[in-house]
Amino acid sequence: MKGTIFEKSRPGRSGFTLPAFDCEYERIPEQLLRGGPPLLPEVAEVDLVRHYTALSRESFGVDCGFYPLGSCTMKYNPKIGEDAAALSGFTDIHPLQPEDSAQGCLEALGTLGGYLCEITGMDAISLQPAAGAHGEFTGLSMIKAYLGATGHEEKKKVLVPDSAHGTNPASAVMAGFTVVSIPSAADGTVDLDALRGALGEDTAALMLTNPNTLGLFEKNIAAVAGMVHEVGGLLYYDGANLNAVMGITRPGDMGFDVMHLNLHKTFATPHGGGGPGSGPVACKSFLAPYLPGPVVDRTTQGFCLRQPKHSVGRVKAFNGNFLVCVRALAYLMTLGAAGVREAAENAVLNANYLLAKLRGTYDAPYGGRCMHEFVLSLEQLKKSTGIGATDIAKGLIDLGMHPPTVHFPLIVREAMMIEPTETESRETLDAAAEAMLRLYETARTDPGALRAAPSGSPVGRPDEAAAARNPVLRG
Amino acid sequence: MKGTIFEKSRPGRSGFTLPAFDCEYERIPEQLLRGGPPLLPEVAEVDLVRHYTALSRESFGVDCGFYPLGSCTMKYNPKIGEDAAALSGFTDIHPLQPEDSAQGCLEALGTLGGYLCEITGMDAISLQPAAGAHGEFTGLSMIKAYLGATGHEEKKKVLVPDSAHGTNPASAVMAGFTVVSIPSAADGTVDLDALRGALGEDTAALMLTNPNTLGLFEKNIAAVAGMVHEVGGLLYYDGANLNAVMGITRPGDMGFDVMHLNLHKTFATPHGGGGPGSGPVACKSFLAPYLPGPVVDRTTQGFCLRQPKHSVGRVKAFNGNFLVCVRALAYLMTLGAAGVREAAENAVLNANYLLAKLRGTYDAPYGGRCMHEFVLSLEQLKKSTGIGATDIAKGLIDLGMHPPTVHFPLIVREAMMIEPTETESRETLDAAAEAMLRLYETARTDPGALRAAPSGSPVGRPDEAAAARNPVLRG
Amino acid sequence: MSYIPSTPEERLEMLGATGAQSMEDLFSAVPDHLRFKGLLDLPPAASEFEVISALKEMAGRNKVYQTWFRGAGSYRHYIPSVVRHLASRAEFVTAYTPYQAEISQGILQSIFEYQTLICELTGMDVSNAGVYDGAHAAAEACAMFADKNRPKVLAASTVKPMTAEVLRTYCRVAGRELEFFGAEDGKASSALLEQMLDTSVCCVYAEQPNFYGLVEDYGELTRAAHAAGAKMVIGSYPIALAVLKTPAEYGADAAVGEAQPLGMPPAFGGPYLGYMAVKAADARKLPGRIAGATVDAAGRTAYVLTLQAREQHIRREKASSNICSNQALCALTATVYCAAAGPGGLKEIAMRCVSLARYAARRISAVSGFSMMFEGFFFNEFVTRCPVDPAKLETKLAENDMLCGLPVQTEKGAGILWCLTERNTKDEIDRLVRLLGEVSA
Amino acid sequence: MSYIPSTPEERLEMLGATGAQSMEDLFSAVPDHLRFKGLLDLPPAASEFEVISALKEMAGRNKVYQTWFRGAGSYRHYIPSVVRHLASRAEFVTAYTPYQAEISQGILQSIFEYQTLICELTGMDVSNAGVYDGAHAAAEACAMFADKNRPKVLAASTVKPMTAEVLRTYCRVAGRELEFFGAEDGKASSALLEQMLDTSVCCVYAEQPNFYGLVEDYGELTRAAHAAGAKMVIGSYPIALAVLKTPAEYGADAAVGEAQPLGMPPAFGGPYLGYMAVKAADARKLPGRIAGATVDAAGRTAYVLTLQAREQHIRREKASSNICSNQALCALTATVYCAAAGPGGLKEIAMRCVSLARYAARRISAVSGFSMMFEGFFFNEFVTRCPVDPAKLETKLAENDMLCGLPVQTEKGAGILWCLTERNTKDEIDRLVRLLGEVSA
Ligand SMILES: Cc1ncc(COP(=O)(O)O)c(C=O)c1O
Ligand SMILES: Cc1ncc(COP(=O)(O)O)c(C=O)c1O
């Protein structure tokens, strides 16, 4: 795209009209007026349409092809969700409408909340958080409030495996905790000894995602939970990987006390180029009084909003990313009980299938079996050819797919983290495997070609260092 | 795109579900059953979405950029029209609903019809025809019925200028007339002498578009009309070029008796990759009884449908391309009286502006002034460089715009017919001029490059001869 | 506002560049006495908000019935969400006929896929890219087979009135004869057809199912037509073709029909889509656009509009078709719909139509006065008698949010043409039957 | 159904390729005692038609008021059609955070444009890509300026209750103090602020306009804050910024706010969008994503996510932000909305808000018992007293398809917070006033 919408601005252009104004224009006191008008784009409707249509055509979504971005669960986003979220009976409702005039919205939230509690094995839920990280902050706030209320101010440490997503430690610090990093064992799961060593009186919580970011199920989870509970700590479940296990095992049953879900991952709501998502927080009943309010209750008179007794307070104005919740509800209604489990099974099947095709060539440091995703290490390849995870990723762009997550988790060198999700067909997986294997070959025979990749995209690799050194952050 | 949707089919795949069926399945008698199932694509929803999203990304619409396809009036299609046409109060109405339950639809048609009569200076209208060519057939049918009813069976000839669109003669033949081609004068307008020579007792009608396909206003139209009427012939107006003159002069006032409009050209309804359009037929009151039925009437009880007395009969089931009419209505409501004229003025301005930029380089055989479009001849260029209209068109594809119409009208050698429409900005016109001038230069300096164009599109020039010689018409 | 980007200042500058003195000047070719003086009598410009509000109000003056029992050429089927989402992609919507193949491969491929779909459904060899609607398709098919020596078209008296009317218009205007051959017990009679066949007949047209919903004996009709050297044209409900014998299997020379049921809403009658398919030998007779596959210089598969010798822009008055704009986006819609439903889905829809119609027929005809008008296998429509004024019945059902079957005249007298699709439920039928009981009591 | 392409047979084959014996086998790492036995207590799968029908019914159980007089943090403005059409392009909707720049230039450029827009509106130098909502933006801004030495946040008692609550949550959890300074006649008092300012205060937060719709003296507040070495954060209604003095002009260090009015429907509270912008010097303190312009090897302009050192995935527990997914599509929506409205349109909307609110205030306050609670310039909201039970008033207006202003508590007692936008008309206000007259009579 040549030029921003601001550069396309021409004085006096407009495509905007309003009805004739039948009231008198009033004046704003001089001293309250801004000096000059904001320099917003002045464009005709056709220019606006072409500009953003062109930008869309320089973007890649799940609808464009395979998007195996590990940890992000880029599954297909059903179109029916968009239709549901566009209903004027949902979009044209004020968040502070009298409850009796918003029963449909409350029912949607209440119903979704109930389904999510069942799936997670939790007792109560708030749909307020807007994303996973927001949910983490919220859950940790609840833990903090609970520990405070039960006289455990000394509990200030949150343990986080070194394989965890960066949001976990960052959220813990935001919630006023000290973070203790727990090294992973050689097999990629929590090192029980290290955990034991870190646990103590000061332990507030352990944050864990299960399966973890290596795509491995923490099979000692019961023991882990016991150890943490033993010292009076709580267990936080990062629900980003719930897609692997829904219908198969439940965080609540594994011993977790509080968790978030990512509706934009597990529950098929679209990612929107980075949001809006939704990160509901679910918990066991002893933490329910601490949930951020309002939560939805069902009474004989209908649905209503309620402030939990010891609520940590709102973490967001109003009732959460409501339209995202509507999409997730549509998804769960479509799948039903059996579909939820089927999704998890096939997510795991797809990942294992792809892993089986790649592990003969690429180094799969944690073995040949995985849950819904797996991590390869390109360290050896990098050493022998100079071609690392980033280069292979860029090569994949030229082959028409979105690259996997790279350089995460941090504990794997030259990591490439692949999550196909259940909504991919075998042909797509076969084609991806073929592309990956072909690039491996290219790395050995013609590494220069890969270092120059991508060549078919609107731009080549941007100079990121220059961007950070000399930031140009507005047009 | 690799492969058709049929090639992507895999046995057993599906993304389709229906509610549980609570009735008993019945059997169809064996002898009525087809031998085997139709081999329709079996695909999951995600595959379907990706396939057609990809096809869309290999298509070019007005929303993608400049589309100066002469004679086609590729103006911007307001999004509000799409919203209006999607209202369930319009989409979910049966065409044979009791009239009292479809007053909104009838009002839409009645209102639109009234506006179009005012714009054209005609007295009555039918919105039934689906496109311009359909309107031509309809209008000619009315002429035929009228001539028959008034005892003029001898009138069997329809005169058509040699610059006319191919649909004119083809429609005339379909309506059972004999076509007489009228050569154009050197200035590109109807040759009055030739016309005089062709007129006679047997003249049923003259078909004319004004401005004509060279973008020239037939300034002798009053004389022409007089001559045709003199011999008892009728005047048919091909409304494809109405965008040049709406609000400025009216076919009805020019002396035309019957005409079609192309709502998908003049009235901004989208072209849909070739349709659906809408080609209403409007006429003077003496022809109104011959209009295809039903037409919309307004009574004190509301709107109703009526069969004109001597109707030529239906030319299409039901009430025309209704949702296209809704879009055109939205457009006219938005523009209002002044906007209609403003559109025409700026369509003509834009064409003249672009012509002014090109005529120093390209050969504009009909001078430096035009109405809403103009025609260049690349005959000289072709002779001197081997590069003709097609080559320049293909070169423009690589420069990011849709090519103009080429090789039409037939009376201009190596014709390139350019219609910018009023919805293009000066920058767009400047950029197009620059592209055209650059290619002219390329034609002289590097004709080989142009013969190889386009190079940036998914495919190069297809072998059309092979396609016709050995037709492969299904997957 | 008229969606014009240029500002008044820009217009002046551009005007300068053209050498014209004024806007008026640009129109100097228009004689003054032909100039429209003043403003057209149209309402003033309105803002987008006013326009959409007014149109919403207008739409609100229509009644959207919850339950439908009316078909007669326009059918309410469920349209999967994905169909609208894909068919509304701006590139599809705002493009025109793909004259420039390289920049239009997506649209051309979609036409090619549509043609494949129609061939699969009908069993025929070659489909065009679609015509205006089903009735128009029937008219074009008959025109396709007519010639000087065989100027007459015979159509079953059981075809839809709308098709009959359009056939009549097209034949009358072109100077072709059109006659209708009679029916027995609601079905076209091959015996009556045979009596009317002679060497002046170019083709015979019948519908599958016919207007009364009945499936006729197209084999017999076709044999009779062919025996007289005439061609056979069958107009089929495309969803019925998921299960019923195809026009090709009956030996038809052309298969046509209304594709509206394949993903297009009833929408007060349009836009719909006429499909047309023929045997390979007749490919060059087909009117309308046709897409074909070929290769580019690099050997890549490429699609183009082909066999253009038939078309108006090539042979003008010698063309076999005047079609320019057709219903392309509807063809895309039908293709996406069928791919979304798949063969299993389409068959399921068809079987539900058949089964619900049968259940409804049994139940309705058991109500006193509503006996079946005809015997024989019907697809998803059937006619019953009606013991009361149909207008009263319509009103009664409308009060219950039901769109009554269509009051029709048959050769056996007046009746109601009922229609069932997969959108109907057993419960709706039961409720209908209760209301009929009340009415007839 | 779960949108899974593979058929049962394919699944078996794929299973074979993995070397697993069964699906169960794939989950062998999950200890048996943790396995969920049986089916979850969720309803059975439903077809698309059933789902959308059920959700339509659910939506139908909400009341969509024709006329709104309620704002209080969520506003109904007209959303041009083009905004929805563009923001719903599938490539935007189904992409994720643009980690891979080359394949995401469109989204990155749209973020860059959004940042430009926010800088233009607020007058600040650097904007991030947006946060969860306006209240969250306020909380993040205060966190941004807090440190060990200055752990205290002061907020005006006149900020929206929702913002106050979220601030409270964030401060409490992080162990920051939060205190509210009082108001006089509905406006934050810089005198009262000064009394509370000391070296422990990191920043001061106020809203423009405040909860009661009043425009405060942000210049005075800012001077007071700065004098004490504290930063000033102003949360503004973005449409008001089309005309009102910007946070930058008042000297603020951070500008935040709720961008919902810029093209997002009220939607029962979300998704909305928090905007955040700061001075250049504080760029590296901003939380959230930031897009920047750079070049590729060929010198072409290219956009990337930048200044990532702030972010959680780089510095983990040392990050100044935990934000990962944000509200990207909302940021795109706001950008398209503002480009559609243009500076003229946005100003016109703002002036209509102001003018209608003034007219409404005059008319309403003339009704007995509905006198104005406060004096001073207000933007599009104002508080009046209410002589009757607000619940009764709400009901009365609801019967007339009007959403009443929000009943609120102020330091001067209970009242109604009325809101006007360009969607309201003089006529609506006149009708409202008649109803108020009836109520108060
Ligand atoms: C494992 C894990 N945890 C947490 C998050 C944060 O979720 P969100 O982006 O919704 O804030 C992510 C997101 O990528 C994740 O992958
Ligand atoms: C001058 C002219 N006449 C008639 C037509 C036929 O109109 P339609 O394509 O709507 O059938 C066209 C279409 O391109 C045209 O340009």
Side-chain angles (χ1 to χ4, degrees), chain B residues 185-217:
Chain B
D187 71 354
T189 62
V190 175
D191 184 327
L192 290 189
D193 292 333
L195 176 63
R196 196 169 295 116
L199 282 169
E201 279 307 290
D202 55 359
T203 302
L206 169 70
M207 297 182 83
L208 211 60
T209 143
N210 193 13
N212 66 23
T213 60
L214 296 165
L216 304 172
F217 192 85

Side-chain angles (χ1 to χ4, degrees), chain C residues 406-417:
Chain C
L406 187 73
V408 291
Q409 288 299 332
T410 77
E411 70 258 27
K412 287 191 174 180
I416 304 281
L417 175 64

Side-chain angles (χ1 to χ4, degrees), chain A residues 148-170:
Chain A
T150 53
H152 291 292
E153 268 87 6
E154 79 286 1
K155 294 190 164 293
K156 288 209 167 317
K157 290 197 177 151
V158 168
L159 315 188
V160 181
D162 57 2
S163 64
H165 195 257
T167 50
N168 294 4

Side-chain angles (χ1 to χ4, degrees), chain B residues 4-58:
Chain B
T4 65
I5 190 74
F6 290 87
E7 292 170 70
K8 291 179 180 168
S9 178
R10 294 291 176 275
R13 293 250 174 100
S14 168
F16 189 73
T17 51
L18 285 174
F21 192 50
D22 59 354
C23 215
E24 246 172 80
Y25 285 102
E26 308 256 351
R27 287 171 52 98
I28 297 175
E30 199 66 45
Q31 73 279 11
L32 298 181
L33 289 173
R34 62 183 287 162
L39 296 179
L40 304 186
E42 300 184 65
V43 294
E45 191 167 313
V46 62
D47 299 322
L48 188 70
V49 165
R50 286 187 184 155
H51 182 78
Y52 288 102
T53 303
L55 288 192
S56 78
R57 288 169 66 100
E58 292 193 357

